[in-house]
Amino acid sequence: MHRMSARDATRYWLSRRTGNDLFLLYCFDETGLPTAELRAWVLERAARIPDLRVRVRERRFAFPEWAPRAVTDDQVVEHAAGPGWADLVAALENVVGQTLQADERAWRLHLMREVRDAPRGSQPATVAVLQLSHALADGRRAAAIARELFSASSPAGIDPGSASGLRPSPLSWLKDAATESISLAILPINLGRTMFRGLAAERTRRELAERTARGTIPAPAAQVPPTPLNRGPEPRAHAVRMLVRDDLRIPGHTVTVTVLTAVGPALARYLGTGDALAAQVPMASPEPDGKARNNYRDLAVELEAGEPDPRRRAELIAATLARRRARALHPLLTAPDRVTDVIPAPILRRDVATYPLDAVPETLGAHTVVSSVYRGPADLALAGGAVRFTAGFPAIGSVMHLTHGVHGLGDTVTVSVHADPAVVDADRYAALLADSLTEVVAALRD
């Protein structure tokens, strides 16, 4: 068993209060293989992938651990989606509202078969949605897990016929007791380390402020007032839309910047105002922490919706993104992480359990999320059915009722919309975003 990092444990504890699972959609050509055989194919491959053979084991005084778990039939679920693409979308909206109990299972694969009118093909499709606990993976690691599951080659894992590591040790109770006893005994020490690192973090904060004022470190994003997209309560339903495109790779511009350049005007047209709109953009850490499964930082980026020239808007967004990335990577920004790393588990768990998730602050760092991940070449397959495209749906919540996923596979890039239908007309917004993407692409290619 492996101890969970504070960063991953936070995501696990948050999942008890609000949905934060990852949903990775892959659309494949339908093969006609009987579902029982398709399920057996998936389970055989999953049994070879270490990340799919674990569950969370909670502790009282220590941090949770990753415990071995055998892959079981109930982790592959077929849904009767209906014959058309619209039926698939409706079924998918129910799927993304589900939350895994990671102490029972940390992943599940949802299958919707014989889907007609799916993008990027004239024949029926099978849509597979890999649902992962956010404690298990961030976007980059999740894409790697999916690639192992759907790659043409066999996963580099264990012999699926072996039960090694899946049975608890006869002395596991003794280890459990020792772990809890040690964690309780060193709790006062960790409290002292937390206070010591907290004082150091405060000195670091002052130094960071001084360097920022001198201009040697880029300034942070300004806070922005909420919009109608940022007011509670917690969403009770989900709406998703997918824009599958093959024109978003433009020389001289990253896909992330191209999409951000289009999101600003789309939001402004939808809301009727372009004042101070900003997006939260997760940035993968260039040097992942080997102890944590989640290695990214959130950057706030102004969308420059008031700039009418898409080329100039793209330049401004790219420059802002570069400054925010430089600030996020500065060593002085890691001091709060060092404090979190030594907070005793019971205290961090209490903080997560009592944090006011439903309270919308007077100002925000961003109004929406734009999460962008390239998932590699389009050489994946599901039991012989070639992949067409991929998509993803960042979580919505009480403060952000609209998020965007940007996911590339080969030459295609899917821009996904995930919204609270009580707050956002998903059809209208998706149409505005599609038009804005077309305008931006035409301008940037000119």
Side-chain angles (χ1 to χ4, degrees):
M1 291 186 287
H2 302 281
R3 175 187 177 274
M4 194 180 288
S5 72
R7 197 178 310 164
D8 299 336
T10 297
R11 283 155 182 78
Y12 168 62
W13 290 324
L14 275 175
S15 71
R16 296 176 170 181
R17 303 187 59 196
T18 185
N20 66 353
D21 289 349
L22 303 178
F23 293 89
L24 292 78
L25 181 148
Y26 291 83
C27 181
F28 300 92
D29 291 338
E30 175 63 67
T31 63
L33 190 71
T35 296
E37 294 182 30
L38 183 58
R39 176 182 281 106
W41 184 92
V42 171
L43 294 174
E44 189 275 337
R45 294 182 67 88
R48 294 175 177 268
I49 301 171
D51 278 346
L52 299 184
R53 298 171 55 250
V54 296
R55 67 174 182 87
V56 174
R57 183 167 187 176
E58 183 64 282
R59 298 291 189 184
R60 185 177 180 186
F61 300 111
F63 277 93
E65 293 178 334
W66 289 108
R69 184 197 192 277
V71 172
T72 52
D73 287 354
D74 60 357
Q75 290 182 275
V76 179
V77 182
E78 183 180 14
H79 300 263
W85 183 248
D87 301 306
L88 175 282
V89 170
L92 181 59
E93 290 171 339
N94 291 325
V95 167
V96 298
Q98 300 178 15
T99 299
L100 291 167
Q101 301 298 318
D103 56 343
E104 297 177 3
R105 59 181 65 82
W107 70 275
R108 181 182 281 132
L109 185 71
H110 304 269
L111 296 175
M112 298 113 176
R113 307 200 61 187
E114 298 288 348
V115 179
R116 302 174 191 165
D117 307 320
R120 304 284 296 180
S122 58
Q123 299 302 311
T126 292
V127 172
V129 182
L130 180 60
Q131 181 181 3
L132 297 170
S133 167
H134 209 328
L136 183 67
D138 57 13
R140 182 169 54 183
R141 184 166 185 148
I145 293 172
R147 179 156 288 276
E148 280 198 87
L149 186 62
F150 299 128
S151 66
S153 59
S154 297
I158 65 160
D159 175 358
S162 169
S164 175
L166 295 180
R167 298 193 185 100
S169 165
L171 298 179
S172 60
W173 64 271
L174 186 59
K175 179 184 176 182
D176 293 346
T179 298
E180 294 285 32
S181 298
I182 292 171
S183 298
L184 182 60
I186 66 173
L187 193 150
I189 298 174
N190 280 338
L191 281 174
R193 295 173 68 195
T194 302
M195 294 178 61
F196 178 79
R197 291 192 183 186
L199 293 172
E202 175 57 25
R203 292 193 296 270
T204 300
R205 187 196 64 78
R206 291 196 296 268
E207 182 180 356
L208 179 64
E210 291 170 1
R211 293 195 186 188
T212 301
R214 293 199 303 266
T216 58
I217 295 178
Q223 293 287 293
V224 291
T227 72
L229 303 176
N230 310 110
R231 300 189 175 97
E234 182 87 6
R236 296 184 177 180
H238 299 257
V240 298
R241 299 294 183 269
M242 288 166 277
L243 308 174
V244 185
R245 309 193 49 133
D246 56 10
D247 60 349
L248 298 183
R249 300 189 186 282
I250 303 172
H253 303 276
T254 67
V255 170
T256 303
V257 167
T258 298
V259 175
L260 287 169
T261 303
V263 166
L267 274 179
R269 292 165 188 163
Y270 185 84
L271 295 171
T273 176
D275 295 341
L277 293 175
Q280 176 180 301
V281 181
M283 179 198 73
S285 300
E287 297 180 1
D289 175 2
K291 298 179 181 179
R293 292 168 174 266
N294 283 270
N295 290 280
Y296 67 92
R297 293 183 179 276
D298 291 322
L299 311 180
V301 178
E302 293 85 350
L303 294 173
E304 309 292 348
E307 172 53 60
D309 182 354
R311 291 168 294 186
R312 176 60 179 158
R313 193 185 321 130
E315 292 173 357
L316 292 171
I317 289 173
T320 300
L321 196 56
R323 290 196 301 272
R324 299 287 150 71
R325 183 181 291 111
R327 179 180 176 87
L329 294 176
H330 196 281
L332 290 177
L333 266 293
T334 64
D337 294 339
R338 292 195 295 271
V339 177
T340 303
D341 287 343
V342 295
I343 294 178
I347 295 177
L348 185 57
R349 181 169 51 235
R350 179 208 61 192
D351 290 346
V352 173
T354 58
Y355 186 83
L357 294 177
D358 294 336
V360 179
E362 294 183 0
T363 59
L364 306 168
H367 300 108
T368 186
V369 170
V370 178
S371 179
S372 181
V373 179
Y374 178 58
R375 292 179 177 163
D379 56 359
L380 305 179
L382 178 60
V387 73
R388 297 186 188 179
F389 64 89
T390 187
F393 313 95
I396 56 176
S398 298
V399 176
M400 287 191 183
H401 293 256
L402 172 67
T403 64
H404 306 77
V406 183
H407 297 93
L409 189 74
D411 295 331
T412 65
V413 176
T414 304
V415 181
S416 306
V417 172
H418 185 189
D420 177 357
V423 176
V424 179
D425 181 335
D427 285 324
R428 177 170 170 254
Y429 178 71
L432 290 171
L433 181 56
D435 290 343
S436 186
L437 285 167
T438 299
E439 292 171 5
V440 167
V441 168
L444 296 186
R445 288 188 183 279
D446 185 5

